[in-house]
Amino acid sequence: DAPESEQDGLSWTYVETPIIYAISPSILSPSLDGSASLIGAHFVDSLELACYANSVKVPARFVSESQVVCDLSGVEGPSVSLSVSVNGQDRSNSLELEIAPRFLVHDATPNVLRPSTKSIEVRGAGFVSSRADALVCVFGDHITAARHVSSSIVRCPVQGVSTAIKLCYEGLGC
């Protein structure tokens, strides 16, 4: 516990500067809720508790002395540098969090599958080649690796019989 002091009717508590050891998840998915857990030490439930994403103040939720959750739902970019403050002045060390790029799916062809259909071409926007190895196609309960063709086309090998196809980042939710 931090020592408490009082002088002339004012009281205060001394706290150590927080330290961040890890961030979970290690890659933030745009399809999830946009929150990241900071794991560390010296976190305090205070009115001044805040996370900083690239030096921009974002909401924080106290979980324990070793965990704070940051709301990153409005943060964009390929990565973000995260730190935390418990007193509005002193900040912890910073750690980088990678953000998976957002993509949009417009349509898929062919829209009628035959037994001879080998793949489906998914058209959209934002298919980034640097994250292509993490893109997967989901047909019902079948998951296969997507083949990146361009920033607007991905090919999915047909697996199983399903009426719907989803495109996701592996391990990051759909």
Side-chain angles (χ1 to χ4, degrees):
D1 283 321
E4 294 187 13
S5 298
E6 186 173 329
Q7 180 180 3
D8 298 328
L10 299 173
S11 62
W12 62 89
T13 302
Y14 291 101
V15 294
E16 291 189 54
T17 302
I19 300 169
I20 302 173
Y21 299 126
I23 302 173
S24 178
S26 59
I27 300 174
L28 190 65
S29 172
S31 60
L32 298 178
D33 70 355
S35 63
S37 293
L38 305 182
I39 310 301
H42 313 300
F43 298 146
V44 177
D45 191 7
S46 68
L47 293 175
E48 295 85 11
L49 177 66
C51 292
Y52 290 85
N54 296 331
S55 299
V56 175
K57 188 175 179 180
V58 296
R61 182 174 49 85
F62 179 82
V63 176
S64 70
E65 291 180 3
S66 60
Q67 183 179 5
V68 167
V69 176
C70 300
D71 179 358
L72 304 174
S73 56
V75 176
E76 293 187 14
S79 67
V80 62
S81 177
L82 292 177
S83 62
V84 66
S85 175
V86 296
N87 62 9
Q89 297 175 28
D90 304 312
R91 291 192 200 165
S92 69
N93 58 309
S94 297
L95 290 182
E96 286 286 315
L97 174 64
E98 186 178 347
I99 300 174
R102 295 181 187 273
F103 60 81
L104 297 172
V105 173
H106 299 299
D107 62 22
T109 56
N111 58 4
V112 176
L113 297 182
R114 294 183 169 77
S116 61
T117 305
K118 301 289 184 218
S119 66
I120 293 177
E121 199 166 88
V122 179
R123 296 174 194 262
F127 303 135
V128 180
S129 61
S130 63
R131 296 291 302 153
D133 60 332
L135 276 174
V136 293
C137 305
V138 180
F139 292 91
D141 59 357
H142 297 280
I143 300 172
T144 60
R147 190 173 139 250
H148 182 267
V149 176
S150 70
S151 64
S152 61
I153 299 173
V154 171
R155 278 205 189 96
C156 295
V158 174
Q159 294 285 318
V161 178
S162 178
T163 58
I165 181 174
K166 291 185 205 173
L167 196 59
C168 312
Y169 287 111
E170 185 174 23
L172 300 180
C174 290

